[in-house]
Amino acid sequence: MLFPTPQGLHVSGFDLAVIGLGYVGMPLAKEATTAGLKVVGVDVDPRKVDALNAGRSYIDDLTDADLDHMLANGFSATLDASVLADSATIVICVPTPLDEDHRPDLSAVEGASATVAAHMVKGTLVVLESTTWPGTTDEVVRPLLEKTGLAAGLDFHLAFSPERIDPGNPKYGLRNTPKVVGGYTDTCRDRAAAFYARFVEQVVPVSGTREAEMAKLLENTYRHVNIALVNEMAIFCDELGVDLWEAIEAAATKPFGFQKFLPGPGVGGHCIPVDPSYLSYTVRKLGYPFRFVELAQEINERMPGYVVARAQRALNRQRKAVNGARVVLLGVTYKPDIADERETPALPVARALLDLGAELSFVDPHVSKWQVDGTDIPREADLAAAVEGADITVLLQPHAAFDLSVIEDKARLVLDTRGVLAEGSRVERL
């Protein structure tokens, strides 16, 4: 779909200011800079700002070479929010975690919105990309911005466009992943759609910000529920003596009506463990629970404990206790082939093993140091030596750097939570 070039915009020093220079903000800044936009990044963390301006990337999907190219083409990072007054478009990409009671924590969104309000000028386009509950853009962000005396849809444009970043995905990035856009008004939507169309191949307009906010939650709730389904099946299939992995592969041969999901040690990353809770929170405000989500949360949060129980059972068959056993964890990030540890299931697995008295170590080519509740976990550099010396090896993430044949040949005992090893006398799958 083609969108008209917006008219009547204020003259600006920057085409885009990105607030929040993490896994969402930096890919956005990269694509916009590549497309020829003048981009500035704003963050409250001086370490991030210093690293970016020095050409050091801390993002999996952004190499130092990528960053050098961005800097050479005008990108810069700053702690100084006054640059927002000189930016035609401002996109908010800050974290939206859960608090200790598993309720949405919008403090970063509120803080960023207040910062925008302090510097925004007439004619600015403001877009929220942070995942949140339906109504946030209109009910939280808009009132904060309108404290300036400027009116959304009249004096400035306001939109929501959910981030769809999949760290480490070699096929789909920001440019070739369709971009959903919803505006406070139709004019806001068209302005935002025209902006994204400058560097995204397909823009998908929807009727409002709530529909755009709900689209993101629907995507991740769908995955959350289906992962919970196969996780629960993994538990009872083990007791039934059924090879669930083989059954899943067989079902996946059906060319319609089925999408393959795989069990694992738990869900990680920012999206799946967090986003469905935002939707559940919204439904509970209506006076009743979102039972599918809450059941899925219960099942997926159970999986790290189930992994530890399976490891304990495997050791028992060897007449060994977990207490004093040498246990090595392979892969402590939340998904393969990246360094991202956000909400990694390795953490609760490790915590439970330590509580049982295990002597824990880990192997991960993407993580140089790893702590569990402030305790340093020893890192093994040699995969073969690590698995050969362990009483049990627990494979949590099948990084491409792992030689699976070494694990199968050298390990004394293996619990494979990802179904990538051949089952045998020393290898059992979740």
Side-chain angles (χ1 to χ4, degrees), residues 1-6 28 31-32 35 37 125 161 174-175 179 181 189-205:
M1 184 174 182
L2 298 177
F3 299 94
T5 301
L28 172 64
E31 290 298 339
L37 279 67
L125 166 64
S161 181
L174 191 145
R175 175 173 291 277
K179 200 81 171 78
V181 177
R189 176 199 63 206
D190 292 345
R191 167 82 184 275
F195 164 73
Y196 283 112
R198 298 175 70 179
F199 53 91
V200 178
E201 292 175 3
Q202 181 183 357
V203 176
V204 182

Side-chain angles (χ1 to χ4, degrees), residues 90-111:
I90 302 169
V91 179
I92 299 172
C93 303
V94 296
T96 48
L98 300 175
D99 64 17
E100 293 180 356
D101 298 318
H102 274 230
R103 295 176 302 186
D105 179 358
L106 295 183
S107 57
V109 170
E110 293 168 344

